[in-house]
């Protein structure tokens, strides 16, 4: 524990917006974008997808290939469609401003879903310019390759297929935590040891910072916190509390409405080293980090919510996903294809029975 007697009055400051990482992007099924995994049907039916779809649409992070194109949107379980039943539905295709956007060598932004006028079915000729829960409930998938006059290229060997991807949850994030602001599912409050670890250094340096997620309250402490308390940079001159900086390193980020922004950690608030931004984390930085007492700060001593470092907890040990031609397996850093020995193991038996599937 670092001992300190300095006192800082922290006011809620407005942060300057920096680049946000979109939760959903589109690309080619054959090439998984870095930091993303193939989305599932449940992802397309989620509130997060609906919100992004209606606000900015889905950007392509890769151009359409120059060869044969299968323009039906793919997800983990197969090809996506919309309709009242599997036998009476229309395949979903990328649209932009009401017309099909599946064109070789283009990379459109703000795409939505639509069904061409030449595709018979319950939604023939419809552009879903604004997505509602009603349409989401009608989304379905099939593992069968689209066929027929409208989808000739889908059956061609080597045909490129378009797909929707969802951002892999970052291993470490910073989020407001306190009364009324719980730790999100899949994460736990990080410890000081986590912050000082080689694992965090690697994650921070590889990503170029740490992701700060949604903040929708104007009453919280802007000092970075871990499970043991607030974090400070401590040298012979004294303690400098840690906060967050924009990617430009010019703006202290402590405001409302900021979501999924990549930020740097630095000494934001007073102390002998205030204004120092850590563009990389290494042992020379971590060796001077420690926690200090809440009671030494006038403003933050009365506020129960703080910018808190969180660590992602383990993902599900076993999952089922379509894998094969045009359906790549998840990154090997996350999953590998199980063997028959895995399925017959006591470990799988215990996992299956404990989780109910």
């Amino acid at each position: 524990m670092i001992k300190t007697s300095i006192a800082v009055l922290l006011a809620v400051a407005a942060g300057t917006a920096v680049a946000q990482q979109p939760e959903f992007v589109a690309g080619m099924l054959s090439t998984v974008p870095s930091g993303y995994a193939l989305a599932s049907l449940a992802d397309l039916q989620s509130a997060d997808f609906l919100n992004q779809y209606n606000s900015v649409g889905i950007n392509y992070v890769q151009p359409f290939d120059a060869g044969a194109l299968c323009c039906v949107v793919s997800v983990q379980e197969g090809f996506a469609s919309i309709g009242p039943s599997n036998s009476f539905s229309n395949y979903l295709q990328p649209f932009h401003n009401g017309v099909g956007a599946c064109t070789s060598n283009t990379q459109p932004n703000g795409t939505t879903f639509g069904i061409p006028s030449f595709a018979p079915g319950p939604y023939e000729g419809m552009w879903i310019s604004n997505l509602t829960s009603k349409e989401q409930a009608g989304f379905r998938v099939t593992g069968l390759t689209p066929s027929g006059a409208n989808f000739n290229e889908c059956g061609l060997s080597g045909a490129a297929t378009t797909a929707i991807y969802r951002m892999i949850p970052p291993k470490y994030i910073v989020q407001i935590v306190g009364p009324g602001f719980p730790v999100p599912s899949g994460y736990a409050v990080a410890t000081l040891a986590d912050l000082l670890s080689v694992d965090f250094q690697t994650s921070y340096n590889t990503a170029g910072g740490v992701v700060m997620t949604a903040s929708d309250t104007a009453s919280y402490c802007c000092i970075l916190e871990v499970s043991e308390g607030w974090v400070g940079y401590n040298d012979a001159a004294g303690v400098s509390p840690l906060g967050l900086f924009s990617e430009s390193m010019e703006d202290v980020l402590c405001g409302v409405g900021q979501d999924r922004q990549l930020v740097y950690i630095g000494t934001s608030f007073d102390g002998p080293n205030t204004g120092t931004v850590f563009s990389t984390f290494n042992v020379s930085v971590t060796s001077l980090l420690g926690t200090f007492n809440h009671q030494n700060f006038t403003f933050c001593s009365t506020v129960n919510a703080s910018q808190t470092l969180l660590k992602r907890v383990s993902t599900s040990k076993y999952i089922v996903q379509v894998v094969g031609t045009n359906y790549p397996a998840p990154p090997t850093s996350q999953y590998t294809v199980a063997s028959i020995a895995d399925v017959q193991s006591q470990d799988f038996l215990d996992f299956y029975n404990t989780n109910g599937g």
Side-chain angles (χ1 to χ4, degrees):
M1 177 75 72
I2 296 174
K3 302 296 184 181
T4 178
S5 59
I6 60 175
V8 178
L9 178 63
L10 291 183
V12 176
T16 300
V18 295
Q20 295 188 14
Q21 295 177 294
E23 185 170 4
F24 296 94
V25 298
M28 296 297 103
L29 189 59
S30 58
T31 306
V32 180
S34 177
Y36 288 84
L38 195 60
S40 66
L41 175 62
D43 290 330
L44 297 193
Q45 294 173 323
S46 69
D48 283 352
F49 184 79
L50 182 145
N51 291 336
Q52 182 178 324
Y53 185 104
N54 290 334
S55 59
V56 297
I58 310 300
N59 292 341
Y60 271 78
V61 293
Q62 303 155 346
F64 286 102
D65 288 358
L69 293 175
C70 181
C71 294
V72 179
V73 172
S74 286
V75 291
Q76 286 181 18
E77 298 88 345
F79 292 97
S81 64
I82 183 172
S85 68
N86 289 340
S87 60
F88 190 51
S89 63
N90 286 100
Y91 287 114
L92 293 172
Q93 300 188 38
F95 267 47
H96 186 259
N97 291 334
V99 297
C102 188
T103 304
S104 295
N105 297 319
T106 64
Q107 187 174 332
N109 288 329
T111 64
T112 49
F113 293 152
I115 296 91
S117 58
F118 53 77
Y123 290 91
E124 179 180 352
M126 185 181 78
W127 170 37
I128 308 175
S129 59
N130 186 73
L131 186 63
T132 69
S133 57
K134 178 181 178 181
E135 282 90 25
Q136 285 185 299
F139 288 167
R140 51 191 67 251
V141 292
T142 176
L144 300 176
T145 300
S147 60
N150 300 317
F151 306 104
N152 286 334
E153 292 189 338
C154 291
L156 297 179
S157 176
T161 302
T162 184
I164 302 294
Y165 294 94
R166 185 172 191 172
M167 184 175 66
I168 298 172
K171 192 163 190 179
Y172 295 93
I173 62 174
V174 174
Q175 182 165 317
I176 309 308
V177 172
F181 301 94
V183 175
S185 175
Y187 285 89
V189 175
T191 64
L192 179 63
D194 290 326
L195 178 62
L196 305 183
S197 69
V198 173
D199 184 61
F200 179 78
Q201 292 177 39
T202 301
S203 174
Y204 187 94
N205 296 340
T206 300
V210 63
V211 171
M212 179 177 67
T213 66
S215 57
D216 54 3
T217 175
S219 181
Y220 65 89
C221 180
C222 300
I223 300 175
L224 184 66
E225 187 168 30
V226 292
S227 62
E228 295 90 341
W230 292 331
V231 184
Y233 182 77
N234 183 44
D235 62 13
V239 176
S240 300
L242 294 190
L244 304 177
F245 283 82
S246 65
E247 287 183 290
S248 67
M249 303 187 189
E250 297 175 352
D251 302 300
V252 176
L253 296 182
C254 185
V256 180
Q258 297 160 341
D259 188 14
R260 299 187 185 282
Q261 300 177 12
L262 200 60
V263 297
Y264 286 123
I265 293 173
T267 54
S268 310
F269 306 105
D270 210 352
N273 293 291
T274 188
T276 301
V277 182
F278 305 121
S279 58
T280 59
F281 253 60
N282 52 50
V283 68
S284 65
V285 174
T286 59
S287 64
L288 295 176
L289 298 183
T291 56
F292 59 93
N293 197 313
H294 287 208
Q295 296 176 353
N296 296 320
F297 285 81
T298 305
F299 176 78
C300 285
S301 64
T302 63
V303 178
N304 294 321
S306 293
Q307 292 189 142
T308 305
L309 181 66
L310 305 177
K311 181 180 180 180
R312 192 180 72 215
V313 295
S314 298
T315 55
S316 179
K317 193 166 188 178
Y318 296 93
I319 63 171
V320 175
Q321 177 177 319
V322 176
V323 174
T325 304
N326 290 331
Y327 289 91
T332 54
S333 60
Q334 293 181 297
Y335 291 99
T336 57
V337 177
S339 66
I340 187 63
D342 290 326
V343 179
Q344 293 173 329
S345 68
Q346 185 64 44
D347 182 66
F348 180 77
L349 178 70
D350 293 341
F351 174 87
Y352 190 95
N353 293 335
T354 299
N355 293 279

